[in-house]
Amino acid sequence: GAVVSQHPSWVICKSGTSVKIECRSLDFQATTMFWYRQFPKQSLMLMATSNEGSKATYEQGVEKDKFLINHASLTLSTLTVTSAHPEDSSFYICSALGAPTGSTDTQYFGPGTRLTVL
Amino acid sequence: AQTVTQSQPEMSVQEAETVTLSCTYDTSENNYYLFWYKQPPSRQMILVIRQEAYKQQNATENRFSVNFQKAAKSFSLKISDSQLGDTAMYFCAFMRSSGTYKYIFGTGTRLKVLA
């Protein structure tokens, strides 16, 4: 139980294009999802909190117009990197708060998406 | 503001031996959760163990156990009978029991299990 999927697992795009990453909770409903960015050999850096049916809450320093987050249903959140540039290349990880038991005290993580911008 | 400190950037242990990873945190909250996550080379974050602060009993999950010292704000992870598959980055995380449900992560400890 408590499975979270991410799609795609890796993507290569040209500079200036937009890329959408999907995060799905497969066996539970998640009213809250989180998006992280992880640089090599570093910890996870929280980018934003995604709440179903409302606007995402972005961490300080994260450009909301560049990293568009939509949480349209209880099982799906999407992160769109708009006008991507090489410095946006990174490993992006989502997590969903909850579990099949309905508890809301643990985050379950997706497998991550490696984005490379050429 | 809460902080989480993992003071051991890297550790190694022989297969079948026991290793302890340290984690300390700073908070003024009384109710919270603590977690250990494992991130193997695949980079999938896997929940290892969780502890509710209001519970005095230390959490255990098979070969993994914690030593939770609330007064000292310490939350160490003990791995018994280490296996090659335990080789990974281990992150300690803190979450308040109310509010935003955001995690505060430590910087991680890279554990290598040696054959």
Side-chain angles (χ1 to χ4, degrees), chain A residues 38 43 59 105 107 109 114, chain B residues 37 39 44 50 103 106:
Chain A
Q38 186 179 34
S43 189
E59 295 300 302
D105 54 19
Q107 291 184 27
F109 288 82
R114 182 178 302 281
Chain B
Y37 282 86
Q39 188 179 41
Q44 167 77 63
R50 61 188 282 274
Y103 279 4

Side-chain angles (χ1 to χ4, degrees), chain B residues 10-14 84 86-88 90 110-114:
Chain B
E10 293 186 2
M11 295 187 73
S12 62
V13 62
Q14 288 294 136
L84 295 177
D86 296 332
T87 292
Y90 287 81
R110 186 172 301 278
L111 176 68
K112 187 170 185 178
V113 180
L114 307 172

